[in-house]
Structures are given as C-alpha cells and as structure tokens.
Amino acid sequence: MLRFILSRIGMAVPTVLLVAVVVFFLIRLVPGDPAALLLGDMASPESVAALRSDLGLDKNILTQFAIWLTNVFQGDLGTSITTKEPVAHLVIERFKVSAGIVLVAVALASLAAVPAGFIAALRQNSKLDLTLVSIAALLLSIPTFWLGLVILLIFGLKLGWLPVVGYVSVAEDPSRGLLYVLMPILTLFLHEIGVLLRMARASALEVLRLDYITHARAKGLPERTVLWRHVFPNAFAPTLTLIGLVLGNMLGGIAVVETVFTIPGLGRLLVDAIFGRDYPVIQGCLLFIAVIYVLVNLIVDLCYPLFDPRVKIT
C-alpha cells in the first residue's frame, strides 16, 4: 500500500510542476501590465517603473519563475498585487466556500444518479429506462450558466423564495447561509446527475452481460445476492472514477456558477484575478486546483479495491 501511494505521488509531482511552468509562462503572454492597471492611465512612466520594481516584474522572466517556485516549495504563494493579502490565505478562505458547494452537489448527484442508473440498467428498454436516459441527455445538453440563470429567474425573481445576490457564510449563520447556496448546489446537481446516471447505467449493463453473472444465477443464487455481491461492486468502480473526475473538474470549473450567483468562492477569485492581472493570485489558484485534482484522483485510486475485488494494491 505504501509503495503504491508513493508511486502515485511520484507520478503526480511532475504533473503539478508542469502545471506550474505552463501557468506561469502563459500568464505572462496575456496583454496588460499589472502596475499600469493599479496606477491608472494618468500615472507617469516613472511611477509605473517603480511599482514594477517593487513587484519584481522588472526582473528576467526566468528569474521571476525561479523566485516564485522557490517560495512555493516553502509554502509561500506570494502576495496579491491588488489586495496585498497573502495568496495562500485568500485561496484557502475562498476554497472553503467552493468546496462546501461542490461536495454537497456531487454527493447528492451521486446518491441520486447511481441508484437511478442501476435501476435503468435492470429495466433496459422499458419506459422507465427511456425516461431516465432522456432526462440525463437533456441535462447534459444544457450549459451550466444557462441552467443557473433559469434557476435564478424561477426561484429568485419569479417566486422570490431565494435571495438573488449576496452571500452569507453558512458557518456564521446556517439558516441564512443555506439560502444563498441552494441555487448553486441545485445547478451543479442537475448538471452532473446526467453524466453520472449514464455512466452507472452503462457500467451495470456491461457487468450484467458477463458470464460470471449468468453463472451465479445458474447456481440458484437469489437475484438480490447476485446484484449486491457481484453486480454492484464491479459496476460501481468505473462510476467511482468518474465521480472523482467530476469532483476535480467542478472544483476547477465552478467559476461560471459562482459568477452567476455572486458567490465569493475560488472560481470567482480566479476570474477577478485574471481581469486585474493579479499574477500571484492566478498562479496560486491554478496550482492549488491542480494539487486538489491530483489528491482527489489519488483518493479514488485508493478506494478502488473497496468496490472492485479484481483490483489489488501491493
């Protein structure tokens, strides 16, 4: 087990380093000077040059990268150009908001989609199966931002049940805070339930056609035993992998939903940093997202043997 974990971490380190290199150098290709944006159009060239020197932007790009990477290995992601706050503190605080929304949405989508997918597979080509597959296809075809706007229009403006703008932390005021995150959670839940349902259904159908399932039924095992002992563990393993991928993708791609619902999460922080040319925040956010993505997939790999007896970790 330890050797497997170390090998996975060893494979993840080059990935994270590659992300760090690509992010750092691509950001420098974006037009716009952070110093000029901070000082405004009326600033003198001397003032802009002095600020660039204070921010370290006057150094060679390779020198900037070496300094930044050295600080990252020491746990220092830098300081925000616009707010002067430590990037690590900003990222962690905003990540708490995004993680709460994403984890709840993925958990609810998994609890709803996996049983629905298995039921659809057991009743293949029935009206229930066709209905579930059609709903999944419809939800997959709707863009996240449009789905969020529709939910905002219905529950926020038309019915007036939920607040349209603003945010209150659930930790500070659970009852009010829950009202502000219900619509983002519902948006992500509806968007991801389609892909998870289709995967669960396809995996279950594949396992149900295998010879050992026919053999188990021929031995006279009760159908319930066949499903729970042989079908579910083997069919759930691919779905578990997809859940891990969905979780990582949502943590990195929640910016659209957070922008629609004005949620101050990690995605919103990244978007604001891009518009403000805040290099340290952009680099810190993307590097943090890459690390989280790698960790989520490592956890999924470690959970694989719990559901698929064919997988052994040594």
Side-chain angles (χ1 to χ4, degrees):
M1 175 68 76
L2 180 60
R3 188 174 66 178
F4 174 78
I5 295 175
L6 292 177
S7 66
R8 293 293 297 173
I9 293 175
M11 295 170 59
V13 170
T15 303
V16 175
L17 288 176
L18 179 62
V19 170
V21 172
V22 172
V23 167
F24 186 90
F25 287 99
L26 282 182
I27 289 173
R28 267 57 183 182
L29 299 178
V30 178
D33 186 348
L37 289 174
L38 283 174
L39 295 176
D41 297 333
M42 304 301 294
S44 64
E46 293 78 11
S47 300
V48 174
L51 183 57
R52 284 180 57 84
S53 179
D54 292 339
L55 297 175
L57 298 176
D58 60 333
K59 296 182 176 64
N60 181 277
I61 188 170
L62 294 178
T63 303
Q64 294 181 42
F65 177 72
I67 294 173
W68 175 71
L69 194 61
T70 302
N71 292 333
V72 167
F73 283 124
Q74 297 174 355
D76 181 12
L77 297 179
T79 303
S80 170
I81 294 176
T82 55
T83 65
K84 307 302 181 183
E85 296 181 63
V87 174
H89 174 73
L90 283 173
V91 169
I92 293 299
E93 290 300 315
R94 297 296 189 94
F95 174 71
K96 293 178 183 178
V97 178
S98 299
I101 295 173
V102 168
L103 289 175
V104 173
V106 172
L108 293 176
S110 302
L111 290 174
V114 173
F118 286 169
I119 291 173
L122 292 174
R123 301 185 180 181
Q124 185 183 13
N125 297 328
S126 66
K127 291 183 179 179
L128 178 61
D129 178 35
L130 295 176
T131 301
L132 291 174
V133 171
S134 300
I135 292 174
L138 176 63
L139 293 175
L140 279 172
S141 64
I142 301 177
T144 309
F145 72 90
W146 190 85
L147 181 60
L149 290 174
V150 170
I151 291 175
L152 188 67
L153 177 65
I154 295 174
F155 295 102
L157 296 178
K158 295 295 184 181
L159 299 177
W161 291 352
L162 299 170
V164 177
V165 295
Y167 176 77
V168 175
S169 173
V170 177
E172 295 177 1
D173 190 339
S175 57
R176 287 187 61 201
L178 186 61
L179 296 177
Y180 285 94
V181 298
L182 279 178
M183 288 192 290
I185 289 174
L186 179 60
T187 302
L188 295 176
F189 166 78
L190 292 176
H191 185 263
E192 299 302 334
I193 194 175
V195 64
L196 293 178
L197 190 152
R198 287 168 64 94
M199 174 57 78
R201 177 181 180 273
S203 300
L205 285 175
E206 181 180 357
V207 173
L208 285 169
R209 296 191 183 106
L210 296 178
D211 292 338
Y212 72 88
I213 299 298
T214 305
H215 179 67
R217 286 170 172 164
K219 289 170 60 178
L221 291 178
E223 187 67 14
R224 184 175 180 179
T225 303
V226 173
L227 294 178
W228 281 104
R229 185 173 297 177
H230 299 286
V231 176
F232 178 77
N234 294 287
F236 183 68
T239 308
L240 178 63
T241 301
L242 184 61
I243 291 173
L245 294 174
V246 166
L247 186 59
N249 287 332
M250 288 176 68
L251 286 172
I254 196 177
V256 173
V257 174
E258 290 179 347
T259 302
V260 170
F261 295 104
T262 64
I263 301 294
L266 185 62
R268 183 76 179 276
L269 175 65
L270 179 59
V271 171
D272 293 341
I274 291 173
F275 281 112
R277 303 298 189 276
D278 198 334
Y279 293 162
V281 174
I282 299 173
Q283 294 162 184
C285 286
L286 294 178
L287 185 63
F288 184 81
I289 291 171
V291 171
I292 292 298
Y293 193 91
V294 169
L295 288 177
V296 167
N297 282 278
L298 175 61
I299 293 172
V300 169
D301 287 342
L302 295 178
C303 292
Y304 231 91
L306 299 177
F307 298 97
D308 191 343
R310 296 170 296 178
V311 179
K312 302 295 182 181
I313 292 181
T314 57

